[in-house]
Amino acid sequence: MAYPIPTNREELLTLCRQPADSEILATAIVGIIQWARTQGQSLADLQAEILTEDQLLEPEQRQWLSELLLKTWQQLETTSATHSAESS
């Protein structure tokens, strides 16, 4: 099942209410990155939020998620640049 990429906080929260699987996780990560960009956040800003101590994730999990954000952010930039070049 394909989930639409969330474009706002409400859609993201709705997505998070779905049973967790790899597709939901991937969709949520892309949505978070796109939302962060619209809010003017950088990759460093987003990673800093992820790496902040909390009760939800262990340090290793936060580090893994931070690295996943980095790879996804870079992939989205590459994909966006490719689409822009093809449109020109």
Side-chain angles (χ1 to χ4, degrees):
M1 171 181 255
Y3 296 96
I5 303 297
T7 58
N8 58 51
R9 182 177 173 87
E10 291 77 27
E11 289 176 3
L12 183 59
L13 291 173
T14 299
L15 182 68
C16 290
R17 290 186 196 106
Q18 302 294 323
D21 65 18
S22 59
E23 189 175 349
I24 291 283
L25 178 60
T27 302
I29 289 172
V30 171
I32 288 168
I33 289 171
Q34 290 179 344
W35 187 73
R37 287 177 171 172
T38 65
Q39 300 301 308
Q41 286 186 295
S42 67
L43 173 59
D45 295 333
L46 194 52
Q47 285 180 304
E49 285 184 39
I50 295 300
L51 293 172
T52 300
E53 290 282 332
D54 63 24
Q55 301 289 330
L56 187 59
L57 299 174
E58 297 293 324
E60 297 82 19
Q61 293 170 316
R62 285 193 302 276
Q63 185 61 44
W64 175 83
L65 187 53
S66 174
E67 290 169 14
L68 184 59
L69 283 169
L70 168 65
K71 291 175 186 176
T72 306
W73 187 289
Q74 291 171 336
Q75 183 63 39
L76 289 171
E77 285 180 340
T78 301
T79 302
S80 177
T82 301
H83 287 285
S84 293
E86 291 173 353
S87 298
S88 299

